Amino acid sequence: MRTAPTILHLDMDAFFASVEQASKPSLRGKAVVVGGLGPRGVVATCSYEARVFGVHSAMPMAQARRLAPNAAYLVPRGGLYRAISEQVMGLLRALSPLVEPLSLDEAFVDLEAGGAAWDGESARLAGERLRADIRAVTGLTGSVGLAASKMLAKIASEQAKPDGLVLIPPGTERELLGPMSVRTLPGVGPATGDHLRRAGIHTVEELAEAGEDELVRLLGKAHGHALHAMALAHDERPVVAEREAKSVSVEDTYDVDIHERVRIGLEVQRLADRCVRRLRGAGLSGRTIVLKVRRYDFSTLTRSETLRGPTDDPAVVREAALRLLDSVDTTGGVRLLGVGVSGLADFTQEDLFAQAAGEAETGDEEETAEEAAREPVEPEERRWAPGHDVRHAEYGHGWVQGSGLGRITVRFETPWSEPGRVRTFRIDDPALERAEPLPLVQGVEGVEGVEEEERVEGVVEAAEVSEVPGVPGVPGVHGASAV
């Protein structure tokens, strides 16, 4: 059992919102909420200034607007967040070969495995140096926890928030854990927590006093044994180097339920094509095609089909997804669609077209062009998402504060400037165009060419849980509130 506090847990502070504040000087120190802005959107994350009003992650966006009506409400920029996350993960990998990402903004590091620390003092120095390096490279802050186990390191980083470092000295673990809620321990969610509460167990100390036999009786052998060990501050889980992707998927949540079967089919094909682009971008292929459908009543159905071999062919994935759709009753409407590929490999099996009924190699490009022509045209307002980057021929770089009614409002500023001025243009102004995000720290590269919307599940993108509206054609004014 490890005794030195050389397991590090890093958790970036309010990551998405902090990126937006760092890139937009006018939002620093202000309440910022990032997430889906449609009627069904949820909060992905929010700044600490917004949390004062009771806003928190996974909250319905409508509720957040009621609690903090004057906050800035922005659409996520997933590609930018991933690029900055990779900068942070690169700093972690420089410390040790054993880095275990949990999400875009969170990871464990085994400092001892990389020779970066061997006792409490060297671990603290490594943690402080990491925090300084993160600030220098990204301009952002992260909280660091140091302990002899993953469980305790994560608890320490929570205590360090925001922008701090906490080290749990060896020998103090039981004293620290005792008064904490059982919900503090890994594996104790709402259901397990309620079950323990009904048994009169509320704190970690009470969990330890209950004994292993009682916990096995209450929770089963595996869960009871594991929780009893953690209550005694025993956590032998190793830091596991970055996991391979288990699946690649994309999905869209729609502001208004889709009822027309033809439209649903077109959306599934569009999602399949996006998924394949992401798959090919990662140099992967997959055998199992997965369709996800959330219906009007919030019931969620998942269907899958496994092919004879792995593929990255868009026609094969499209047709498999459509076959799966045939088995789903969409009467009443659909609020979410998703297409994924699992069973990943780094090679493809040739000549898989025979698996798709009625296939022929000729005509695919023409059919795709016809399908694209039938898709609804994205309204101009939807092209200008609140928070996204733009460039004007005369005024330079800025970001969208809001759009609607044929107008777009832009604040012209950069991450390195003073708060900028706001100007309004016609939505079709030829001098205005979408732009790539700028680096948060001047002179630091690494955010150009970011790609939005798609995600790889099972690696570091698991934190991206926002529902971003994906259906074009919904009128209205979309924008960040005045701040």
Side-chain angles (χ1 to χ4, degrees), residues 140-165:
L140 305 176
T141 64
S143 296
V144 166
L146 293 159
S149 68
K150 290 167 69 172
M151 175 187 71
L152 291 166
K154 184 172 175 63
I155 290 172
S157 71
E158 283 296 318
Q159 293 183 329
K161 282 189 166 294
D163 190 20
L165 182 149

Side-chain angles (χ1 to χ4, degrees), residues 182-183 185-204 206-208 210-231:
V182 293
R183 291 288 304 275
L185 300 182
V188 182
T192 302
D194 287 344
H195 195 51
L196 292 171
R197 179 180 52 79
R198 288 194 295 271
I201 300 172
H202 301 85
T203 67
V204 175
E206 291 170 345
L207 195 67
E212 186 172 355
D213 291 342
E214 176 65 9
L215 295 179
V216 168
R217 185 186 70 80
L218 287 172
L219 305 172
K221 184 175 181 180
H223 203 185
H225 174 76
L227 282 187
H228 185 257
M230 289 184 177

